[in-house]
Amino acid sequence: MELRDLKQIVYDGNIALVDRRLVILTWGNVSAIDRENGIVVIKPRGIDYSLLKPEDMSVTDMYGNDVGVNKYLPSVDLDIHLEIYRNFPGVQAIAHTHSTYATAWAHTGRNIPVFGTTHADHFFGEIPCTRQLTAEETASDYERNIGRVIVDKFRSIDPMQIPAVLVAGHGPFTWGSSVLACVEHSLILEELAKMAINTLRADPLAPSLPEYMLKKHYLRKYGEDAYFYQEVKD
Amino acid sequence: MELRDLKQIVYDGNIALVDRRLVILTWGNVSAIDRENGIVVIKPRGIDYSLLKPEDMSVTDMYGNDVGVNKYLPSVDLDIHLEIYRNFPGVQAIAHTHSTYATAWAHTGRNIPVFGTTHADHFFGEIPCTRQLTAEETASDYERNIGRVIVDKFRSIDPMQIPAVLVAGHGPFTWGSSVLACVEHSLILEELAKMAINTLRADPLAPSLPEYMLKKHYLRKYGEDAYFYQEVKD
Amino acid sequence: MELRDLKQIVYDGNIALVDRRLVILTWGNVSAIDRENGIVVIKPRGIDYSLLKPEDMSVTDMYGNDVGVNKYLPSVDLDIHLEIYRNFPGVQAIAHTHSTYATAWAHTGRNIPVFGTTHADHFFGEIPCTRQLTAEETASDYERNIGRVIVDKFRSIDPMQIPAVLVAGHGPFTWGSSVLACVEHSLILEELAKMAINTLRADPLAPSLPEYMLKKHYLRKYGEDAYFYQEVKD
Amino acid sequence: MELRDLKQIVYDGNIALVDRRLVILTWGNVSAIDRENGIVVIKPRGIDYSLLKPEDMSVTDMYGNDVGVNKYLPSVDLDIHLEIYRNFPGVQAIAHTHSTYATAWAHTGRNIPVFGTTHADHFFGEIPCTRQLTAEETASDYERNIGRVIVDKFRSIDPMQIPAVLVAGHGPFTWGSSVLACVEHSLILEELAKMAINTLRADPLAPSLPEYMLKKHYLRKYGEDAYFYQEVKD
């Protein structure tokens, strides 16, 4: 893919988060990776969205090195994105927001339970919440350490089956096979967090969905015998 | 009614759910039945709303058999709709959404109490919530079994007096004598669920409406001596 | 005032409630009184807002008698309005809604406490909530009996200093010296109810405003030595 | 700066609060100071926003004396603003709103805890809530006394590091180095209050952010070695 096209796609993803009210002010960022060329494109840090242009997107290699074409420094969250790209091979794009309900839930430091089929239709299990970072992890190499606790949380989880995480006391990150997919995951996660908070208000002891129901809903969409979409697999 | 007209009405109903913010992404479906000709029209599965056209609506007989005119497969929820049509003779149209507050309440597995006259003006009693399906009911014939637990819940309830149900851990279904009616019922149900959740926030021990008040409000609109509308019956 | 002008004003008030999202579907009504001529103008019952025209407003005398100019029957809530007009001489207009938060609070059957100065700036004390009506009061002369329990609640309250009430299990009524004023009171009441519900979420034991602070805020706007507005009294 | 330009800026700030839905009706005010000339410009009291023009902004000296150019009386909250300007030398502009969530939290009389990095990115600690004023402080010199309890609350806090306060039982005030900055602080504070209330709904015992994390986030933006923005200091 042409770098120019990738910049446009990343730019569009960043704007989509604002349009869907998942990002206010400059509270978010989207990146994408061109794995063939080892290139990552990400929103530049601290620039007002109204001033941002597609060509302003920052470009680095997979280790955060400037590849010589940048007008602006990349997002301060770059190292979080890179850590995810290096460890989750299927991920092509990442989105980070401070959307209201997902962030409020991230403050609790707990996973979002699977309360219903809306959740099961999109994520194959609870939305994991990382542990809080230690003082040492915060003092130096902070952003990369956030990436590390995310990756650590997925040691026994397939990140393509649960393409989202809450960083404790911080907020949500989502990813996917395209910018479009990860923006959609951000939207769904926010809606699930809003539903979960209201579920607890209706009943503080609301039950989780049975495991067999989680499997049924996830697999009828994404399993080998999926039948949810028009083009049936096999 | 011409099939073409029915398709247009069903299409309009699906779009109305999106316009009223009861459906995001592809999280919902509307169907209608032509009982005279034994024909059901429903939204096709998994198609983006922006690509959907009236002629794309799927058509089956009352047992889900393709009648030879479909471009797309029908909604995966078709069997739920059919089970309702076969058992509730007065129902002409059905809507399903994952609207935020009604879905949050459905997660609790409990009925929505009649907290006020807003509820009593439209539904003659609590909004029933089904039981959760068993592993066996989920494993095979899943969608039809959802229909069955809905129908089962109405054994002693007139579905035309309470034209809505919550499927436990899933979300709301509504029905009515027309597509317009069932879309309106979806809107009212969402508002009632939002009110109910906020009622519990204001007072976790909020009382239900007295039975005589429920009857008064429902029957002044829909009873034999109704006087709520311009055209007084009798 | 010309009847035609009064109809226009009442029509505009009804539409204002919809525009401000205090009324959905047909869940509300506004009336006004011409005390000189003993005439009340009110929204007709059960007509879709999109079909409503200013000339469709219903006209009765102060006892609900048709004065011979009506195309449509008046709102079923007419007798509530009339009871208020007959007992609160300063009231020139009345609004009724089922706005989300005020209705949710009405379900609790409790007054809205004075949690802050936003409340004290507009209402000189708690927003009263009526008692629930008895079975007898509901069985016959229902709407007038709602009016009676409202009036009863204000035996020791000046209705011009607290121009709003919650009917238990039903919803809010507001009034004022003009249609504009009572529509504004509906808007303020909804905002206060939303704030109150969120106050209790932030702290279930949140304190009420001290009495001296309530007086200070109310009286600097509406007292003899008011200084809140441009035109200082006296 | 020309007085005319300052009036325009203050006017724009007031309108921005309405556009961002932080102010309804006339529930807010913005002011700015020209410290060189000892001039304060503030919204006039009790004027409908739709009628307000830039030239209508009120002008006083730093002690609230009319400087002879006013068409309208200044906001009744003028003395609160002046007390802040006189005591916080870095403050160039002040905004006051009754925004829903920040006001709801102010009702509790408690500080807003630092639940997450969204908070730490903008405010270097809890958002302080003042004590309630006494009867004596309310009886005379009321508005100035509000200013005094605000200033008192910041005896050991740098007001430029936490440019916001909640007045107990009243609502939020924010300030900054420009009108744009204080309007943005009002927006952020409202979002933080909304997040905090939803955090407590998700978990009434939600933990505060560790102190080292607060420092990390605040200082990477505003500290000596800040690296959050494009132009790295030093």
Side-chain angles (χ1 to χ4, degrees), chain A residues 174-204:
Chain A
T174 64
W175 47 79
S177 58
S178 68
V179 166
L180 217 63
C182 74
V183 167
E184 190 168 301
H185 294 157
S186 291
L187 178 69
I188 295 170
L189 178 57
E190 177 67 1
E191 182 67 14
L192 292 178
K194 186 175 182 184
M195 281 180 180
I197 285 174
N198 281 294
T199 296
L200 291 179
R201 191 58 239 156
D203 182 359

PDB file of all heavy atoms in Angstrom, chain A residues 174-204:
ATOM      1  N   THR A 174      -8.415  -0.656  21.459  1.00  0.00           N
ATOM      2  CA  THR A 174      -9.004  -1.714  20.632  1.00  0.00           C
ATOM      3  C   THR A 174      -8.133  -1.906  19.410  1.00  0.00           C
ATOM      4  O   THR A 174      -7.346  -1.036  19.050  1.00  0.00           O
ATOM      5  CB  THR A 174     -10.425  -1.352  20.161  1.00  0.00           C
ATOM      6  OG1 THR A 174     -10.351  -0.200  19.315  1.00  0.00           O
ATOM      7  CG2 THR A 174     -11.343  -1.063  21.336  1.00  0.00           C
ATOM      8  N   TRP A 175      -8.267  -3.063  18.782  1.00  0.00           N
ATOM      9  CA  TRP A 175      -7.504  -3.323  17.563  1.00  0.00           C
ATOM     10  C   TRP A 175      -8.314  -4.176  16.612  1.00  0.00           C
ATOM     11  O   TRP A 175      -9.456  -4.561  16.921  1.00  0.00           O
ATOM     12  CB  TRP A 175      -6.174  -3.994  17.901  1.00  0.00           C
ATOM     13  CG  TRP A 175      -6.304  -5.136  18.858  1.00  0.00           C
ATOM     14  CD1 TRP A 175      -6.709  -6.408  18.569  1.00  0.00           C
ATOM     15  CD2 TRP A 175      -6.057  -5.090  20.273  1.00  0.00           C
ATOM     16  NE1 TRP A 175      -6.714  -7.171  19.710  1.00  0.00           N
ATOM     17  CE2 TRP A 175      -6.322  -6.394  20.777  1.00  0.00           C
ATOM     18  CE3 TRP A 175      -5.634  -4.106  21.151  1.00  0.00           C
ATOM     19  CZ2 TRP A 175      -6.183  -6.718  22.123  1.00  0.00           C
ATOM     20  CZ3 TRP A 175      -5.499  -4.426  22.496  1.00  0.00           C
ATOM     21  CH2 TRP A 175      -5.769  -5.715  22.971  1.00  0.00           C
ATOM     22  N   GLY A 176      -7.743  -4.458  15.445  1.00  0.00           N
ATOM     23  CA  GLY A 176      -8.471  -5.262  14.482  1.00  0.00           C
ATOM     24  C   GLY A 176      -7.675  -5.449  13.211  1.00  0.00           C
ATOM     25  O   GLY A 176      -6.514  -5.050  13.122  1.00  0.00           O
ATOM     26  N   SER A 177      -8.349  -6.037  12.233  1.00  0.00           N
ATOM     27  CA  SER A 177      -7.690  -6.341  10.967  1.00  0.00           C
ATOM     28  C   SER A 177      -7.689  -5.152  10.015  1.00  0.00           C
ATOM     29  O   SER A 177      -7.165  -5.236   8.908  1.00  0.00           O
ATOM     30  CB  SER A 177      -8.388  -7.528  10.306  1.00  0.00           C
ATOM     31  OG  SER A 177      -9.753  -7.206  10.105  1.00  0.00           O
ATOM     32  N   SER A 178      -8.289  -4.037  10.461  1.00  0.00           N
ATOM     33  CA  SER A 178      -8.288  -2.816   9.647  1.00  0.00           C
ATOM     34  C   SER A 178      -8.631  -1.642  10.559  1.00  0.00           C
ATOM     35  O   SER A 178      -9.107  -1.841  11.688  1.00  0.00           O
ATOM     36  CB  SER A 178      -9.336  -2.902   8.544  1.00  0.00           C
ATOM     37  OG  SER A 178     -10.636  -2.883   9.100  1.00  0.00           O
ATOM     38  N   VAL A 179      -8.391  -0.426  10.074  1.00  0.00           N
ATOM     39  CA  VAL A 179      -8.762   0.767  10.841  1.00  0.00           C
ATOM     40  C   VAL A 179     -10.267   0.782  11.068  1.00  0.00           C
ATOM     41  O   VAL A 179     -10.746   1.074  12.176  1.00  0.00           O
ATOM     42  CB  VAL A 179      -8.289   2.046  10.117  1.00  0.00           C
ATOM     43  CG1 VAL A 179      -8.943   3.278  10.714  1.00  0.00           C
ATOM     44  CG2 VAL A 179      -6.766   2.169  10.199  1.00  0.00           C
ATOM     45  N   LEU A 180     -11.016   0.455  10.032  1.00  0.00           N
ATOM     46  CA  LEU A 180     -12.465   0.414  10.147  1.00  0.00           C
ATOM     47  C   LEU A 180     -12.893  -0.520  11.273  1.00  0.00           C
ATOM     48  O   LEU A 180     -13.767  -0.204  12.080  1.00  0.00           O
ATOM     49  CB  LEU A 180     -13.063  -0.090   8.822  1.00  0.00           C
ATOM     50  CG  LEU A 180     -14.374   0.548   8.387  1.00  0.00           C
ATOM     51  CD1 LEU A 180     -14.203   2.036   8.132  1.00  0.00           C
ATOM     52  CD2 LEU A 180     -14.927  -0.140   7.147  1.00  0.00           C
ATOM     53  N   ALA A 181     -12.279  -1.694  11.333  1.00  0.00           N
ATOM     54  CA  ALA A 181     -12.633  -2.686  12.350  1.00  0.00           C
ATOM     55  C   ALA A 181     -12.318  -2.173  13.752  1.00  0.00           C
ATOM     56  O   ALA A 181     -13.127  -2.322  14.670  1.00  0.00           O
ATOM     57  CB  ALA A 181     -11.895  -3.998  12.091  1.00  0.00           C
ATOM     58  N   CYS A 182     -11.155  -1.547  13.935  1.00  0.00           N
ATOM     59  CA  CYS A 182     -10.830  -1.144  15.314  1.00  0.00           C
ATOM     60  C   CYS A 182     -11.659   0.050  15.751  1.00  0.00           C
ATOM     61  O   CYS A 182     -11.988   0.172  16.930  1.00  0.00           O
ATOM     62  CB  CYS A 182      -9.329  -0.972  15.530  1.00  0.00           C
ATOM     63  SG  CYS A 182      -8.604   0.482  14.823  1.00  0.00           S
ATOM     64  N   VAL A 183     -12.018   0.928  14.829  1.00  0.00           N
ATOM     65  CA  VAL A 183     -12.937   2.018  15.189  1.00  0.00           C
ATOM     66  C   VAL A 183     -14.287   1.431  15.603  1.00  0.00           C
ATOM     67  O   VAL A 183     -14.886   1.849  16.604  1.00  0.00           O
ATOM     68  CB  VAL A 183     -13.111   3.001  14.002  1.00  0.00           C
ATOM     69  CG1 VAL A 183     -14.288   3.930  14.231  1.00  0.00           C
ATOM     70  CG2 VAL A 183     -11.827   3.800  13.797  1.00  0.00           C
ATOM     71  N   GLU A 184     -14.764   0.450  14.868  1.00  0.00           N
ATOM     72  CA  GLU A 184     -16.029  -0.195  15.219  1.00  0.00           C
ATOM     73  C   GLU A 184     -15.929  -0.888  16.585  1.00  0.00           C
ATOM     74  O   GLU A 184     -16.857  -0.828  17.387  1.00  0.00           O
ATOM     75  CB  GLU A 184     -16.420  -1.199  14.129  1.00  0.00           C
ATOM     76  CG  GLU A 184     -17.835  -1.714  14.304  1.00  0.00           C
ATOM     77  CD  GLU A 184     -18.337  -2.482  13.086  1.00  0.00           C
ATOM     78  OE1 GLU A 184     -18.371  -1.889  11.987  1.00  0.00           O
ATOM     79  OE2 GLU A 184     -18.681  -3.666  13.234  1.00  0.00           O
ATOM     80  N   HIS A 185     -14.794  -1.500  16.860  1.00  0.00           N
ATOM     81  CA  HIS A 185     -14.615  -2.134  18.172  1.00  0.00           C
ATOM     82  C   HIS A 185     -14.651  -1.102  19.301  1.00  0.00           C
ATOM     83  O   HIS A 185     -15.160  -1.379  20.389  1.00  0.00           O
ATOM     84  CB  HIS A 185     -13.301  -2.924  18.211  1.00  0.00           C
ATOM     85  CG  HIS A 185     -13.305  -4.098  17.284  1.00  0.00           C
ATOM     86  ND1 HIS A 185     -12.172  -4.680  16.779  1.00  0.00           N
ATOM     87  CD2 HIS A 185     -14.339  -4.817  16.752  1.00  0.00           C
ATOM     88  CE1 HIS A 185     -12.491  -5.686  15.986  1.00  0.00           C
ATOM     89  NE2 HIS A 185     -13.793  -5.785  15.955  1.00  0.00           N
ATOM     90  N   SER A 186     -14.114   0.086  19.045  1.00  0.00           N
ATOM     91  CA  SER A 186     -14.176   1.150  20.060  1.00  0.00           C
ATOM     92  C   SER A 186     -15.622   1.547  20.335  1.00  0.00           C
ATOM     93  O   SER A 186     -16.019   1.777  21.486  1.00  0.00           O
ATOM     94  CB  SER A 186     -13.406   2.391  19.587  1.00  0.00           C
ATOM     95  OG  SER A 186     -12.025   2.137  19.546  1.00  0.00           O
ATOM     96  N   LEU A 187     -16.388   1.633  19.269  1.00  0.00           N
ATOM     97  CA  LEU A 187     -17.803   2.003  19.393  1.00  0.00           C
ATOM     98  C   LEU A 187     -18.568   0.940  20.167  1.00  0.00           C
ATOM     99  O   LEU A 187     -19.358   1.239  21.077  1.00  0.00           O
ATOM    100  CB  LEU A 187     -18.409   2.164  17.993  1.00  0.00           C
ATOM    101  CG  LEU A 187     -19.888   2.507  17.924  1.00  0.00           C
ATOM    102  CD1 LEU A 187     -20.140   3.918  18.426  1.00  0.00           C
ATOM    103  CD2 LEU A 187     -20.422   2.344  16.512  1.00  0.00           C
ATOM    104  N   ILE A 188     -18.338  -0.323  19.834  1.00  0.00           N
ATOM    105  CA  ILE A 188     -19.043  -1.425  20.495  1.00  0.00           C
ATOM    106  C   ILE A 188     -18.641  -1.501  21.962  1.00  0.00           C
ATOM    107  O   ILE A 188     -19.480  -1.662  22.847  1.00  0.00           O
ATOM    108  CB  ILE A 188     -18.742  -2.758  19.774  1.00  0.00           C
ATOM    109  CG1 ILE A 188     -19.312  -2.719  18.357  1.00  0.00           C
ATOM    110  CG2 ILE A 188     -19.315  -3.938  20.559  1.00  0.00           C
ATOM    111  CD1 ILE A 188     -18.864  -3.876  17.469  1.00  0.00           C
ATOM    112  N   LEU A 189     -17.359  -1.359  22.234  1.00  0.00           N
ATOM    113  CA  LEU A 189     -16.877  -1.420  23.616  1.00  0.00           C
ATOM    114  C   LEU A 189     -17.537  -0.339  24.465  1.00  0.00           C
ATOM    115  O   LEU A 189     -17.961  -0.593  25.602  1.00  0.00           O
ATOM    116  CB  LEU A 189     -15.351  -1.254  23.640  1.00  0.00           C
ATOM    117  CG  LEU A 189     -14.690  -1.248  25.008  1.00  0.00           C
ATOM    118  CD1 LEU A 189     -15.012  -2.519  25.785  1.00  0.00           C
ATOM    119  CD2 LEU A 189     -13.187  -1.090  24.866  1.00  0.00           C
ATOM    120  N   GLU A 190     -17.628   0.880  23.930  1.00  0.00           N
ATOM    121  CA  GLU A 190     -18.265   1.967  24.677  1.00  0.00           C
ATOM    122  C   GLU A 190     -19.725   1.630  24.980  1.00  0.00           C
ATOM    123  O   GLU A 190     -20.217   1.838  26.095  1.00  0.00           O
ATOM    124  CB  GLU A 190     -18.163   3.278  23.881  1.00  0.00           C
ATOM    125  CG  GLU A 190     -18.856   4.468  24.510  1.00  0.00           C
ATOM    126  CD  GLU A 190     -18.230   4.942  25.812  1.00  0.00           C
ATOM    127  OE1 GLU A 190     -17.226   4.359  26.249  1.00  0.00           O
ATOM    128  OE2 GLU A 190     -18.756   5.895  26.407  1.00  0.00           O
ATOM    129  N   GLU A 191     -20.426   1.085  23.989  1.00  0.00           N
ATOM    130  CA  GLU A 191     -21.830   0.717  24.180  1.00  0.00           C
ATOM    131  C   GLU A 191     -21.960  -0.406  25.216  1.00  0.00           C
ATOM    132  O   GLU A 191     -22.851  -0.384  26.070  1.00  0.00           O
ATOM    133  CB  GLU A 191     -22.442   0.299  22.836  1.00  0.00           C
ATOM    134  CG  GLU A 191     -23.910  -0.053  22.892  1.00  0.00           C
ATOM    135  CD  GLU A 191     -24.827   1.117  23.211  1.00  0.00           C
ATOM    136  OE1 GLU A 191     -24.383   2.284  23.133  1.00  0.00           O
ATOM    137  OE2 GLU A 191     -25.994   0.862  23.563  1.00  0.00           O
ATOM    138  N   LEU A 192     -21.062  -1.384  25.168  1.00  0.00           N
ATOM    139  CA  LEU A 192     -21.095  -2.481  26.143  1.00  0.00           C
ATOM    140  C   LEU A 192     -20.822  -1.972  27.557  1.00  0.00           C
ATOM    141  O   LEU A 192     -21.449  -2.415  28.521  1.00  0.00           O
ATOM    142  CB  LEU A 192     -20.060  -3.553  25.783  1.00  0.00           C
ATOM    143  CG  LEU A 192     -20.333  -4.349  24.510  1.00  0.00           C
ATOM    144  CD1 LEU A 192     -19.189  -5.329  24.255  1.00  0.00           C
ATOM    145  CD2 LEU A 192     -21.666  -5.079  24.579  1.00  0.00           C
ATOM    146  N   ALA A 193     -19.883  -1.032  27.681  1.00  0.00           N
ATOM    147  CA  ALA A 193     -19.579  -0.477  29.005  1.00  0.00           C
ATOM    148  C   ALA A 193     -20.784   0.299  29.536  1.00  0.00           C
ATOM    149  O   ALA A 193     -21.125   0.209  30.717  1.00  0.00           O
ATOM    150  CB  ALA A 193     -18.346   0.426  28.927  1.00  0.00           C
ATOM    151  N   LYS A 194     -21.446   1.044  28.651  1.00  0.00           N
ATOM    152  CA  LYS A 194     -22.642   1.789  29.065  1.00  0.00           C
ATOM    153  C   LYS A 194     -23.748   0.829  29.497  1.00  0.00           C
ATOM    154  O   LYS A 194     -24.414   1.034  30.508  1.00  0.00           O
ATOM    155  CB  LYS A 194     -23.125   2.677  27.912  1.00  0.00           C
ATOM    156  CG  LYS A 194     -24.272   3.581  28.289  1.00  0.00           C
ATOM    157  CD  LYS A 194     -24.650   4.529  27.158  1.00  0.00           C
ATOM    158  CE  LYS A 194     -25.769   5.465  27.596  1.00  0.00           C
ATOM    159  NZ  LYS A 194     -26.227   6.336  26.485  1.00  0.00           N
ATOM    160  N   MET A 195     -23.939  -0.224  28.718  1.00  0.00           N
ATOM    161  CA  MET A 195     -24.939  -1.238  29.090  1.00  0.00           C
ATOM    162  C   MET A 195     -24.576  -1.901  30.418  1.00  0.00           C
ATOM    163  O   MET A 195     -25.437  -2.124  31.268  1.00  0.00           O
ATOM    164  CB  MET A 195     -25.004  -2.329  28.016  1.00  0.00           C
ATOM    165  CG  MET A 195     -25.798  -1.961  26.791  1.00  0.00           C
ATOM    166  SD  MET A 195     -25.777  -3.376  25.624  1.00  0.00           S
ATOM    167  CE  MET A 195     -26.774  -2.690  24.280  1.00  0.00           C
ATOM    168  N   ALA A 196     -23.296  -2.233  30.602  1.00  0.00           N
ATOM    169  CA  ALA A 196     -22.868  -2.941  31.814  1.00  0.00           C
ATOM    170  C   ALA A 196     -23.118  -2.090  33.056  1.00  0.00           C
ATOM    171  O   ALA A 196     -23.602  -2.580  34.082  1.00  0.00           O
ATOM    172  CB  ALA A 196     -21.392  -3.330  31.711  1.00  0.00           C
ATOM    173  N   ILE A 197     -22.808  -0.789  32.955  1.00  0.00           N
ATOM    174  CA  ILE A 197     -23.019   0.101  34.101  1.00  0.00           C
ATOM    175  C   ILE A 197     -24.505   0.206  34.417  1.00  0.00           C
ATOM    176  O   ILE A 197     -24.918   0.179  35.570  1.00  0.00           O
ATOM    177  CB  ILE A 197     -22.362   1.475  33.826  1.00  0.00           C
ATOM    178  CG1 ILE A 197     -20.832   1.352  33.975  1.00  0.00           C
ATOM    179  CG2 ILE A 197     -22.908   2.541  34.767  1.00  0.00           C
ATOM    180  CD1 ILE A 197     -20.046   2.588  33.587  1.00  0.00           C
ATOM    181  N   ASN A 198     -25.339   0.270  33.389  1.00  0.00           N
ATOM    182  CA  ASN A 198     -26.776   0.340  33.619  1.00  0.00           C
ATOM    183  C   ASN A 198     -27.352  -1.001  34.065  1.00  0.00           C
ATOM    184  O   ASN A 198     -28.341  -1.037  34.800  1.00  0.00           O
ATOM    185  CB  ASN A 198     -27.492   0.873  32.377  1.00  0.00           C
ATOM    186  CG  ASN A 198     -27.374   2.381  32.297  1.00  0.00           C
ATOM    187  OD1 ASN A 198     -27.914   3.090  33.136  1.00  0.00           O
ATOM    188  ND2 ASN A 198     -26.616   2.879  31.324  1.00  0.00           N
ATOM    189  N   THR A 199     -26.754  -2.093  33.631  1.00  0.00           N
ATOM    190  CA  THR A 199     -27.159  -3.411  34.116  1.00  0.00           C
ATOM    191  C   THR A 199     -26.977  -3.488  35.628  1.00  0.00           C
ATOM    192  O   THR A 199     -27.879  -3.923  36.354  1.00  0.00           O
ATOM    193  CB  THR A 199     -26.302  -4.504  33.445  1.00  0.00           C
ATOM    194  OG1 THR A 199     -26.568  -4.493  32.036  1.00  0.00           O
ATOM    195  CG2 THR A 199     -26.616  -5.878  34.016  1.00  0.00           C
ATOM    196  N   LEU A 200     -25.827  -3.030  36.110  1.00  0.00           N
ATOM    197  CA  LEU A 200     -25.557  -3.071  37.549  1.00  0.00           C
ATOM    198  C   LEU A 200     -26.481  -2.149  38.321  1.00  0.00           C
ATOM    199  O   LEU A 200     -26.767  -2.387  39.492  1.00  0.00           O
ATOM    200  CB  LEU A 200     -24.097  -2.701  37.813  1.00  0.00           C
ATOM    201  CG  LEU A 200     -23.100  -3.746  37.331  1.00  0.00           C
ATOM    202  CD1 LEU A 200     -21.681  -3.280  37.602  1.00  0.00           C
ATOM    203  CD2 LEU A 200     -23.355  -5.089  38.019  1.00  0.00           C
ATOM    204  N   ARG A 201     -26.946  -1.117  37.688  1.00  0.00           N
ATOM    205  CA  ARG A 201     -27.877  -0.226  38.365  1.00  0.00           C
ATOM    206  C   ARG A 201     -29.257  -0.897  38.476  1.00  0.00           C
ATOM    207  O   ARG A 201     -29.948  -0.759  39.480  1.00  0.00           O
ATOM    208  CB  ARG A 201     -27.984   1.112  37.619  1.00  0.00           C
ATOM    209  CG  ARG A 201     -28.710   2.162  38.388  1.00  0.00           C
ATOM    210  CD  ARG A 201     -28.045   2.413  39.721  1.00  0.00           C
ATOM    211  NE  ARG A 201     -28.952   2.174  40.832  1.00  0.00           N
ATOM    212  CZ  ARG A 201     -28.586   1.867  42.060  1.00  0.00           C
ATOM    213  NH1 ARG A 201     -27.319   1.728  42.363  1.00  0.00           N
ATOM    214  NH2 ARG A 201     -29.463   1.678  43.004  1.00  0.00           N
ATOM    215  N   ALA A 202     -29.634  -1.625  37.424  1.00  0.00           N
ATOM    216  CA  ALA A 202     -30.927  -2.328  37.465  1.00  0.00           C
ATOM    217  C   ALA A 202     -30.862  -3.497  38.431  1.00  0.00           C
ATOM    218  O   ALA A 202     -31.862  -3.853  39.067  1.00  0.00           O
ATOM    219  CB  ALA A 202     -31.295  -2.812  36.064  1.00  0.00           C
ATOM    220  N   ASP A 203     -29.674  -4.104  38.551  1.00  0.00           N
ATOM    221  CA  ASP A 203     -29.509  -5.252  39.451  1.00  0.00           C
ATOM    222  C   ASP A 203     -28.029  -5.439  39.763  1.00  0.00           C
ATOM    223  O   ASP A 203     -27.278  -5.951  38.926  1.00  0.00           O
ATOM    224  CB  ASP A 203     -30.071  -6.524  38.798  1.00  0.00           C
ATOM    225  CG  ASP A 203     -29.949  -7.731  39.723  1.00  0.00           C
ATOM    226  OD1 ASP A 203     -29.416  -7.583  40.849  1.00  0.00           O
ATOM    227  OD2 ASP A 203     -30.383  -8.820  39.316  1.00  0.00           O
ATOM    228  N   PRO A 204     -27.599  -5.034  40.971  1.00  0.00           N
ATOM    229  CA  PRO A 204     -26.182  -5.120  41.330  1.00  0.00           C
ATOM    230  C   PRO A 204     -25.656  -6.557  41.292  1.00  0.00           C
ATOM    231  O   PRO A 204     -24.443  -6.765  41.270  1.00  0.00           O
ATOM    232  CB  PRO A 204     -26.141  -4.567  42.763  1.00  0.00           C
ATOM    233  CG  PRO A 204     -27.386  -3.767  42.916  1.00  0.00           C
ATOM    234  CD  PRO A 204     -28.408  -4.420  42.041  1.00  0.00           C
TER     235      PRO A 204
END
